[in-house]
Amino acid sequence: MEAGGAGEVDHLAGERATAQFDVDHMKVAWAGSRHAVDVADRMARLVASDPVFRKDNRTMLPRKELFKDTLRKAAHAWKRIVELRLTEEEANLLRLYVDQPGYVDLHWGMFVPAIKGQGTEEQQKKWLPLAYKFQIIGCYAQTELGHGSNVQGLETTATFDPKTDEFVMHSPTLTSSKWWPGGLGKASTHAVVYARLITEGKDYGIHGFIVQLRSLEDHSPLPGVTLGDIGGKFGSGAYNSMDNGVLRFDHVRIPRDQMLMRLSQVTKEGKYVHSNVPKQLLYGTMVFVRQTIVADASKALSRATCIAVRYSAMRKQFGPQTGGPETQVLNYKTQQSRLFPLLASAYAFRFVGEWLKWLYTDVTHKLEAKDFSTLQEAHACTAGLKAVTTSATADGIEECRKLCGGHGYLNSSGLPELFATYVPACTYEGDNVVLLLQVARILMKTVSQLASGKQPVGTMAYMGNVQYLMQCKCGVNTAEDWLSPAAIREVFEARALRMAVNCAQNINRAPSQEEGLYELSPDLLEVAVAHIQLIIVTKFIEKVEQDIPGEGVKEQLRNLCNVYALYLVHKHLGDFLSTGCMTARQGALANQQLGKLYAQLRPNAVALVDAFNYTDHYLGSVLGRYDGNVYPALYDEAWKDPLNDSPVPDGYREHLRPLLKQQLKLSRL
């Protein structure tokens, strides 16, 4: 871990001395293993020590320069990966710590997985080696100008021509333009394009096609292909390093075998044929992508909380009325009540993300064995976790910025750019509201099947205990009773189930089910959130119950788990009260215990964010420096701005001087 420059005072040393646990072991608990800590350490230091990966000037670069800088970093990263013969794990971490959105994210994160999941063995043998060696650069062209979440409404067409054994790719309308795919604007040579497959005059719906977009000789667009960047986006630096693109086809022909044919194919004669591979296998790729998004949520929120905790521990404001030293901002209860739940959430999202990795493996194995019994539950779980964690993270980063006061508004704090880079996650790979409504529909279906005796599985298994959960009473009598994992789990299960049952009953009273689902959609969102929050709380409890080495580590994780759960009780108290899961007095006891937990976390706060093991380079924040030497860094950073290149600004002679010298022609008033 970087600890500031040579000779600098570690202003946070006193905070670290108060830690009541083994920070090194907490790093292992966070990362998953000692091996993971060591590999992350090496890759983080490798990036931080390389001047090519400098990023402190990123928010000051014009868009063209920023994109060129992204190309340079991506090429240099690949060079280092090859030179050092890095493993896939090491290469992924190196790209993570470079910390600059770019075309490689979509190449590795979407293009390659799409071919793996939807391509035949022959197609994989042809295309994947080219992608692995970067002999082609790919992106994922699904979203259009007129349609995003409604994939079935996409307008791009792929019409088969049996005379030439080709598909004709075409954009029939302005709204059929592919819009938003990362890497498409300037970098990609190929794309997996999703289009309506038309053969023998019949529309067979959306299918994937591998389409070359640019020449491999001079990178110019191929005939019939119109493409470019869609323009600047929210924030300075941030996601503007990504070349999100627009793409239109004018009757572009591709060979028939460039249709991704693992699940279905078109014969030379134009016949549409299903393969014997079950279409449900596509869900494996979906689970993989969403698992990655949940893991990214934890990384982003942990970065923000690391910055806010360290700065709050260093910053002092006001003090006792009688005089004396000023108070550390982190000692204020208002700061703790806003910041510590975010710290707990970062840990919670990390551990549920670990569990999602296991779920991906489990679902994949079952799908390959043609066991689809857990598929619906896995879809609900991954969709809901993507929605809840990304929304909470986006809101949490912004809250951390506010918690850093005025200095948090500066680009040098790292928080504005972190927010602007992260917030697209609330929309891509499924709009969060749309995903939560999908979860709610599955929950309503599960509730409707309870009377038939069908037992829910996986994360929905608690619903099978419907008779008990619909009438059980919370057994909490003291504030300390809220520290019981069993009490917490039961009250979250009762809340989720009762909200789902109540909503299902209200839908049944509607003239039709579809009308009921439409009218009650706001309630359905809350039902889905309650279910997903139960999953996160449950997985956090299960993590704490594991055998965790290191003195004091388990106790601190238990405190964080309780903070996360009781903060949700506080935030959604209306749900718990209105469903009869607890009394108002029990809600007050939960708040009382929450305050005690904040006090217990306070001496350990800095050490808990140290456990994330982030270098100063990766954090990219003068406020979140490991050594806490914030004010000199803020002062020095200000002078780096191009506006300070000269003491007299450009435009002085044309605009300021005439005004100051009263040489402007003034109209009569």
Side-chain angles (χ1 to χ4, degrees):
M1 174 64 68
E2 294 171 342
E8 291 180 342
V9 178
D10 185 348
H11 295 278
L12 297 178
E15 288 287 326
R16 295 184 171 104
T18 67
Q20 300 162 346
F21 64 95
D22 187 326
V23 177
D24 195 51
H25 279 89
M26 185 64 83
K27 289 179 181 179
V28 175
W30 170 264
S33 68
R34 167 54 58 189
H35 168 77
V37 173
D38 292 342
V39 174
D41 237 2
R42 290 200 310 274
M43 293 303 103
R45 291 177 183 277
L46 178 64
V47 171
S49 63
D50 194 323
V52 175
F53 296 131
R54 173 191 177 188
K55 65 179 190 178
D56 60 308
N57 64 339
R58 190 164 57 192
T59 59
M60 305 173 197
L61 295 176
R63 179 86 198 283
K64 275 191 170 183
E65 285 301 310
L66 177 64
F67 183 66
K68 188 175 180 180
D69 181 60
T70 305
L71 297 181
R72 178 168 57 249
K73 286 176 179 173
H76 187 64
W78 181 246
K79 178 184 176 185
R80 300 299 285 148
I81 288 168
V82 173
E83 287 175 344
L84 299 174
R85 298 181 179 179
L86 299 184
T87 64
E88 184 176 351
E89 177 190 17
E90 291 169 333
N92 287 337
L93 281 167
L94 185 142
R95 284 191 288 265
L96 167 71
Y97 290 125
V98 170
D99 189 36
Q100 190 147 314
Y103 67 87
V104 294
D105 301 346
L106 281 299
H107 177 84
W108 293 114
M110 297 298 293
F111 181 72
V112 168
I115 295 174
K116 279 184 175 180
Q118 299 169 47
T120 62
E121 286 188 21
E122 292 77 14
Q123 289 175 320
Q124 292 182 39
K125 287 177 182 177
K126 176 181 178 180
W127 295 102
L128 290 180
L130 298 174
Y132 287 150
K133 296 175 183 177
F134 268 129
Q135 291 174 321
I136 62 173
I137 296 171
C139 66
Y140 187 86
Q142 178 172 290
T143 298
E144 295 178 354
L145 187 58
H147 289 90
S149 296
N150 181 16
V151 175
Q152 298 309 313
L154 297 179
E155 299 176 82
T156 303
T157 57
T159 305
F160 184 64
D161 182 356
K163 296 177 183 176
T164 59
D165 199 28
E166 294 173 319
F167 283 102
V168 181
M169 311 296 296
H170 186 59
S171 307
T173 63
L174 179 66
T175 50
S176 68
S177 306
K178 295 297 178 183
W179 189 271
W180 274 118
L184 171 65
K186 294 296 176 182
S188 293
T189 61
H190 290 68
V192 170
V193 177
Y194 288 87
R196 313 195 72 83
L197 191 160
I198 300 171
T199 184
E200 297 185 322
K202 184 176 179 181
D203 185 335
Y204 285 91
I206 306 303
H207 290 70
F209 302 83
I210 300 174
V211 184
Q212 184 173 348
L213 307 174
R214 291 180 168 96
S215 165
L216 294 178
E217 296 301 320
D218 61 8
H219 209 62
S220 59
L222 295 182
V225 176
T226 300
L227 74 173
D229 187 273
I230 61 173
K233 300 171 286 283
F234 177 57
S236 301
Y239 219 76
N240 285 297
S241 56
M242 180 71 80
D243 53 326
N244 297 94
V246 54
L247 166 66
R248 296 197 73 182
F249 295 112
D250 183 5
H251 299 93
V252 174
R253 291 178 172 270
I254 64 170
R256 179 175 56 88
D257 64 5
Q258 285 180 212
M259 169 188 169
L260 291 173
M261 293 188 178
R262 186 179 185 190
L263 304 180
S264 57
Q265 58 183 277
V266 173
T267 67
K268 290 182 179 181
E269 297 74 30
K271 299 294 182 185
Y272 182 82
V273 181
H274 285 289
S275 74
N276 57 3
V277 177
K279 65 179 181 179
Q280 290 90 340
L281 278 174
L282 286 178
Y283 283 91
T285 304
M286 178 201 69
V287 173
F288 170 77
V289 171
R290 288 178 179 164
Q291 166 257 312
T292 303
I293 293 173
V294 173
D296 289 345
S298 173
K299 292 186 187 82
L301 186 55
S302 59
R303 286 175 69 177
T305 55
C306 185
I307 294 167
V309 166
R310 286 178 179 171
Y311 177 66
S312 297
M314 189 286 308
R315 178 78 166 179
K316 295 179 180 179
Q317 288 281 41
F318 304 109
Q321 298 265 340
T322 54
E326 289 187 292
T327 302
Q328 288 171 282
V329 171
L330 194 54
N331 287 340
Y332 288 107
K333 297 299 180 181
T334 50
Q335 194 82 351
Q336 293 174 14
S337 66
R338 295 164 64 194
L339 182 51
F340 288 171
L342 298 177
L343 175 59
S345 297
Y347 274 88
F349 297 169
R350 173 71 184 191
F351 298 141
V352 81
E354 279 184 4
W355 171 74
L356 270 185
K357 288 183 181 179
W358 169 86
L359 182 69
Y360 166 66
T361 303
D362 182 65
V363 167
T364 302
H365 288 161
K366 286 180 177 175
L367 291 177
E368 289 172 350
K370 298 187 178 181
D371 176 1
F372 310 131
S373 59
T374 61
L375 189 57
Q376 181 174 260
E377 183 265 339
H379 171 57
C381 181
T382 54
L385 281 169
K386 184 273 178 186
V388 168
T389 59
T390 55
S391 292
T393 296
D395 292 343
I397 296 170
E398 171 61 6
E399 186 70 3
C400 285
R401 184 193 66 77
K402 295 174 185 174
L403 286 162
C404 290
H407 293 330
Y409 193 63
L410 287 168
N411 278 334
S412 59
S413 76
L415 291 165
E417 189 181 15
L418 179 59
F419 176 76
T421 301
Y422 185 77
V423 76
C426 295
T427 309
Y428 62 59
E429 287 310 297
D431 175 84
N432 285 353
V433 170
V434 174
L435 290 179
L436 287 173
L437 288 174
Q438 290 177 9
V439 175
R441 281 177 175 261
I442 293 173
L443 291 172
M444 293 302 98
K445 181 179 178 181
T446 304
V447 169
S448 69
Q449 294 173 338
L450 291 176
S452 66
K454 184 175 181 180
Q455 286 298 307
V457 297
T459 55
M460 294 183 182
Y462 72 96
M463 291 184 143
N465 199 17
V466 59
Q467 290 185 332
Y468 173 76
L469 291 174
M470 287 300 291
Q471 57 187 352
C472 66
K473 300 293 183 182
C474 179
V476 168
N477 295 307
T478 67
E480 286 70 28
D481 288 345
W482 276 116
L483 300 179
S484 164
I488 289 174
R489 194 186 310 225
E490 182 176 281
V491 80
F492 271 84
E493 287 179 351
R495 168 214 182 196
L497 181 63
R498 293 180 192 188
M499 289 177 69
V501 169
N502 290 344
C503 205
Q505 290 172 343
N506 289 334
I507 289 171
N508 288 337
R509 296 188 188 103
S512 69
Q513 185 183 42
E514 278 305 309
E515 190 171 338
L517 289 168
Y518 174 77
E519 289 296 331
L520 291 165
S521 54
D523 296 339
L524 288 167
L525 291 177
E526 294 178 3
V527 168
V529 169
H531 172 70
I532 297 302
Q533 288 174 344
L534 164 63
I535 294 174
I536 300 173
V537 168
T538 299
K539 297 308 170 186
F540 206 157
I541 290 173
E542 290 175 358
K543 176 69 176 182
V544 174
E545 291 172 347
Q546 293 175 6
D547 182 21
I548 302 172
E551 185 180 348
V553 171
K554 183 184 282 284
E555 181 183 351
Q556 295 308 313
L557 289 180
R558 185 180 294 113
N559 286 346
L560 288 165
C561 179
N562 289 331
V563 165
Y564 180 73
L566 294 185
Y567 174 73
L568 291 180
V569 170
H570 167 76
K571 184 178 179 182
H572 300 279
L573 189 57
D575 291 344
F576 289 97
L577 294 178
S578 65
T579 53
C581 294
M582 67 173 68
T583 64
R585 179 177 175 275
Q586 289 168 330
L589 290 173
N591 286 340
Q592 183 181 330
Q593 185 57 50
L594 195 54
K596 294 179 181 178
L597 288 167
Y598 292 156
Q600 292 170 25
L601 276 185
R602 170 61 189 92
N604 301 290
V606 169
L608 284 168
V609 299
D610 285 351
F612 301 148
N613 206 25
Y614 295 149
T615 62
D616 285 344
H617 178 273
Y618 181 59
L619 277 183
S621 169
V622 295
L623 304 187
R625 291 168 57 103
Y626 183 86
D627 62 9
N629 201 20
V630 169
Y631 298 133
L634 274 168
Y635 187 82
D636 291 344
E637 204 66 28
W639 295 106
K640 295 179 182 177
D641 193 287
L643 205 57
N644 287 323
D645 284 349
S646 62
V648 177
D650 293 343
Y652 166 74
R653 292 193 172 278
E654 302 96 316
H655 307 295
L656 272 181
R657 180 181 171 83
L659 178 66
L660 291 168
K661 299 298 183 182
Q662 296 296 301
Q663 293 174 353
L664 294 174
K665 292 182 179 180
L666 302 178
S667 61
R668 292 182 180 180
L669 300 178

